[in-house]
Amino acid sequence: MKSFLFESIWLLSHREQRALLTQFHPNKNILFGRNHTGKSSLIKSLFLTLGARPQGELAQWDENTISVVAFRIEQKRYRAVHQQGHRALFNESGDLVIAATNHEKWTQAFATTVGFNLVLTDKQSKTVQADPRCFFLPFYINQDGSWQADWGTFTSLQQYIAPVGAILEYFSGIKPPEYYKLNAERTQSQRLLDDLQKERHFLDRARERFGRSMSLSGPKIQSENFEQDIARLTIEVTDLNEKQENLRDMAVREQEIISNIQLQVDLANDALATYEGDSSYLRNEPREKLTCPTCGAEHTEPFLDLLTYAEDARVLRELVARLRRDATKAVEQYRKTQSQILELENNYRRVSDILATRRGDLQFGDVVNSMGAESAFRAFEEESAALKRDIDQRLSDIETLTTRLKELTDSRRSKEILQSFRQAYSSALISLNLPPIDTSRLKLTSRPALSGSGGPRSILAYYGALWRTCLGNHASFSIPLVIDAPNQQGQDDINLPKVLKFIANDLPSGAQIIVGSEMETDHIFDKKFVFDQPYRLLKETEYAGVSEVVDPLAKTMYDALRNDDTN
């Protein structure tokens, strides 16, 4: 498992002439202070410096503050510098690794440095490298956005399509890092395959257009060119036969449709003619009076018969109009089919003319013209064969990679990981004084949405289960667990101590933990930081010492940015 640790952070404000240096313990750290004393500002600056902007604004904060974060990957140490969207990365020797204002460039440098090879799909359906927000997302509870049912930890995650599932599968080991490396290779091979297939399609079209402008009927100087033309003509004639058969079947069916429609029109017209006679009879012939058995009213006209006949006639007239429209469409389609059949017949005649001409007498001009044509056709065939070999190789590569990807998504391992997550979640619910629930069908993405004061505790239980899973037997990274302000939605004197106890004692042992809390705790933390002045996180007394460290790094960053136009 690869270990990532925060070692220290420098914050420097030249405008306020104040600064701060904070050095973290590799295990449990607690930042204690009342509201507005700067705990969240310090925590947010850790992630912002590394390219992951947390949700929420920093109150009364100098936006030009320079931040430097020292972190360690395994035994390698680095320093990241940030000011107003400008970033730089330095190695342990103080050498500049990269300077960037471009987010994509910084993302690639960060991913390479920490070994983060997760790729995601963006809104343009392009495969892109997951950025630092994705790297820290499962491990940071931000007081602005993480204590609710949605993943609002960082800003603008919407640029990716459904990123959370892939991120959790990556860190839990359901799909290990090697999976994403191979999947990226398969995606690249698929793109190359698509390009090759397009190129072959363009080549076939070019050859077809060339064939229409150059004679195929001349003599062949090389005997193998006869074989190429024969093979091509055989394929063309076979294709013509198949198209002709389909078009003839279609024409027969369309004729039947036209005949059936015409028959229905004739029957409807006959019925209308009968209606005219019956309607005339009902209106003109003398009839007895009709008496209503209910009200005794007398009717001199059989109005029910007349109304029924009139409605039948209306339906028949509409039917005839609709059938005539259908007949018109059917006739148009039949004509199109006949036109396509005629076009096929012209193609048949063209092929026949080619074959007939080859049996005729040859002229010297035919020989001269054919020499250039046959060279061109031979070049087409050679290029087509080369493209086919490349396409076959890409198909083979994709098949091999697909097989390897299936092997890496082992169902037994996935079941074991999910079982571990569900058990950890059930245990955390009990520790945090929450009622037990059925976890047998929970997924890694099953983030709770409990309301009331139990909501934040259920979120903490969920994260606690995630952390045990993501730092378990199949994990690939150990990343700091950061919790900002566990006292959410008014936890009472019974539940808040349980929350602090859970954080201090029940999170994965050996993990680096950074907690920002407004409440004192008797539970043991390896290092405690006290913030006691509202809006005074940075100190005048630390300005000179921090400037000596930060200013040279910032100067190197800006010098590099001025000399690099790719940012």
Side-chain angles (χ1 to χ4, degrees):
M1 185 188 301
K2 191 176 293 186
S3 175
F4 179 103
L5 289 175
F6 288 121
E7 292 195 323
S8 53
I9 181 171
W10 292 262
L11 298 170
L12 175 65
S13 171
H14 285 301
R15 187 185 71 186
E16 299 175 356
Q17 299 284 290
R18 294 188 290 127
L20 180 72
L21 166 61
T22 302
Q23 295 176 304
F24 298 102
H25 193 277
N27 294 119
K28 292 188 286 187
N29 301 265
I30 185 166
L31 283 60
F32 168 71
R34 300 297 180 184
N35 292 333
H36 311 302
T37 54
K39 304 182 302 298
S40 295
S41 298
L42 177 62
I43 290 173
K44 290 179 189 293
S45 295
L46 285 171
F47 298 104
L48 180 60
T49 303
L50 294 175
R53 178 177 288 277
Q55 198 75 253
E57 298 298 325
L58 303 180
Q60 297 189 23
W61 185 257
D62 178 10
E63 292 296 330
N64 286 308
T65 297
I66 306 172
S67 58
V68 177
V69 172
F71 62 96
R72 190 174 81 218
I73 295 289
E74 296 294 89
Q75 301 306 315
K76 295 182 178 180
R77 288 180 165 84
Y78 298 89
R79 288 182 178 181
V81 182
H82 171 255
Q83 185 182 36
Q84 285 280 39
H86 305 90
R87 290 183 174 86
L89 184 66
F90 295 84
N91 61 21
E92 191 168 6
S93 302
D95 299 325
L96 179 68
V97 177
I98 189 175
T101 57
N102 179 282
H103 183 69
E104 289 72 21
K105 185 176 179 180
W106 174 259
T107 292
Q108 194 59 53
F110 177 85
T112 301
T113 301
V114 303
F116 183 44
N117 62 350
L118 175 64
V119 292
L120 298 172
T121 304
D122 66 10
K123 290 298 186 181
Q124 286 73 44
S125 298
K126 296 180 181 178
T127 301
V128 295
Q129 169 66 48
D131 67 11
R133 292 171 300 179
C134 304
F135 184 75
F136 293 113
L137 181 67
F139 306 100
Y140 170 36
I141 304 180
N142 178 8
Q143 73 168 0
D144 299 304
S146 296
W147 290 102
Q148 307 299 325
D150 297 325
W151 289 87
T153 306
F154 296 106
T155 62
S156 304
L157 271 175
Q158 298 82 3
Q159 77 176 77
Y160 303 111
I161 297 176
V164 176
I167 293 170
L168 297 183
E169 287 180 343
Y170 178 89
F171 285 109
S172 66
I174 288 180
K175 292 180 179 177
E178 186 182 358
Y179 174 92
Y180 295 93
K181 178 176 179 292
L182 294 176
N183 191 52
E185 291 178 10
R186 184 177 67 171
T187 300
Q188 182 64 22
S189 293
Q190 184 62 53
R191 287 177 178 171
L192 292 173
L193 175 62
D194 293 342
D195 291 340
L196 289 170
Q197 289 175 333
K198 288 178 182 177
E199 186 177 349
R200 188 176 184 182
H201 175 68
F202 293 148
L203 181 68
D204 290 341
R205 290 182 60 187
R207 190 190 193 286
E208 181 182 352
R209 289 195 295 269
F210 185 78
R212 288 198 294 266
S213 62
M214 296 294 292
S215 174
L216 297 177
S217 59
K220 301 302 173 188
I221 307 304
Q222 299 182 18
S223 60
E224 60 268 22
N225 289 344
F226 283 108
E227 298 175 3
Q228 295 172 4
D229 282 344
I230 290 171
R232 188 183 64 79
L233 288 173
T234 300
I235 293 171
E236 187 172 353
V237 171
T238 302
D239 183 57
L240 288 173
N241 288 338
E242 182 179 354
K243 289 181 178 178
Q244 186 184 59
E245 192 67 27
N246 292 335
L247 287 172
R248 285 177 175 173
D249 289 343
M250 190 183 300
V252 170
R253 289 195 300 272
E254 288 166 354
Q255 282 182 318
E256 291 176 351
I257 291 172
I258 293 171
S259 298
N260 288 334
I261 292 174
Q262 188 58 50
L263 177 61
Q264 293 178 60
V265 170
D266 293 340
L267 291 174
N269 285 330
D270 290 343
L272 280 172
T274 302
Y275 158 77
E276 293 296 339
D278 292 343
S279 177
S280 176
Y281 171 79
L282 287 172
R283 286 188 172 87
N284 298 325
E285 291 297 320
R287 294 169 298 281
E288 296 180 357
K289 294 180 180 180
L290 297 178
T291 303
C292 176
T294 301
C295 63
E298 293 184 351
H299 303 280
T300 57
E301 296 289 341
F303 63 97
L304 292 177
D305 290 341
L306 288 172
L307 288 177
T308 301
Y309 267 63
E311 177 62 19
D312 291 345
R314 184 189 64 78
V315 171
L316 283 171
R317 291 189 183 99
E318 290 182 355
L319 176 61
V320 170
R322 188 171 67 252
L323 288 172
R324 284 174 176 164
R325 289 195 297 271
D326 293 343
T328 301
K329 292 180 182 178
V331 170
E332 289 177 357
Q333 183 58 46
Y334 178 71
R335 289 173 179 169
K336 290 180 181 179
T337 303
Q338 290 295 325
S339 176
Q340 291 175 324
I341 292 174
L342 181 61
E343 184 178 346
L344 284 181
E345 290 176 354
N346 292 333
N347 289 334
Y348 272 118
R349 282 194 291 270
R350 181 176 59 82
V351 172
S352 178
D353 291 343
I354 291 173
L355 296 175
T357 304
R358 284 181 177 162
R359 292 192 295 268
D361 295 332
L362 301 177
Q363 296 180 1
F364 180 71
D366 295 333
V367 176
V368 173
N369 291 332
S370 179
M371 289 176 65
E374 71 177 79
S375 297
F377 284 118
R378 185 170 65 254
F380 277 120
E381 295 298 335
E382 291 172 354
E383 181 65 19
S384 180
L387 284 172
K388 184 179 184 304
R389 287 193 298 270
D390 290 343
I391 288 171
D392 290 342
Q393 181 60 50
R394 290 298 170 191
L395 288 171
S396 177
D397 292 344
I398 291 171
E399 184 178 356
T400 301
L401 290 169
T402 300
T403 302
R404 287 285 295 118
L405 289 170
K406 288 180 180 178
E407 293 172 356
L408 289 172
T409 52
D410 181 65
S411 59
R412 287 178 297 179
R413 184 180 66 249
S414 299
K415 185 176 180 181
E416 178 186 339
I417 291 170
L418 285 173
Q419 184 66 22
S420 174
F421 167 73
R422 292 161 181 166
Q423 291 175 352
Y425 188 39
S426 295
S427 176
L429 290 173
I430 296 172
S431 298
L432 291 166
N433 198 28
L434 289 165
I437 63 171
D438 179 16
T439 61
S440 60
R441 295 187 179 182
L442 287 184
K443 301 178 181 178
L444 293 179
T445 54
S446 298
R447 190 182 177 101
L450 189 64
S451 61
S453 62
R457 281 179 283 134
S458 68
I459 290 292
L460 182 58
Y462 170 72
Y463 273 97
L466 274 184
W467 294 338
R468 287 209 168 273
T469 306
C470 293
L471 276 69
N473 297 332
H474 301 284
S476 54
F477 279 95
S478 174
I479 299 175
L481 312 178
V482 182
I483 306 170
D484 190 10
N487 186 19
Q488 297 290 317
Q489 295 190 17
Q491 302 299 316
D492 57 26
D493 57 353
I494 296 176
N495 288 311
L496 184 57
K498 291 183 180 293
V499 169
L500 295 174
K501 178 183 177 182
F502 180 81
I503 293 172
N505 300 332
D506 293 353
L507 297 184
S509 60
Q512 185 180 38
I513 300 171
I514 300 174
V515 182
S517 176
E518 300 95 345
M519 304 295 295
E520 287 274 19
T521 177
D522 294 331
H523 297 289
I524 297 174
F525 283 81
D526 296 293
K527 194 166 186 178
K528 180 179 180 180
F529 304 85
V530 178
F531 302 92
D532 52 10
Q533 294 184 355
Y535 304 109
R536 283 286 181 176
L537 174 65
L538 307 186
K539 312 296 182 184
E540 291 87 347
T541 56
E542 297 192 37
Y543 178 72
V546 171
S547 295
E548 291 182 4
V549 175
V550 172
D551 283 339
L553 296 174
K555 181 179 184 303
T556 302
M557 175 180 72
Y558 283 110
D559 288 344
L561 290 174
R562 278 194 295 270
N563 296 326
D564 187 358
D565 296 331
T566 64
N567 291 283

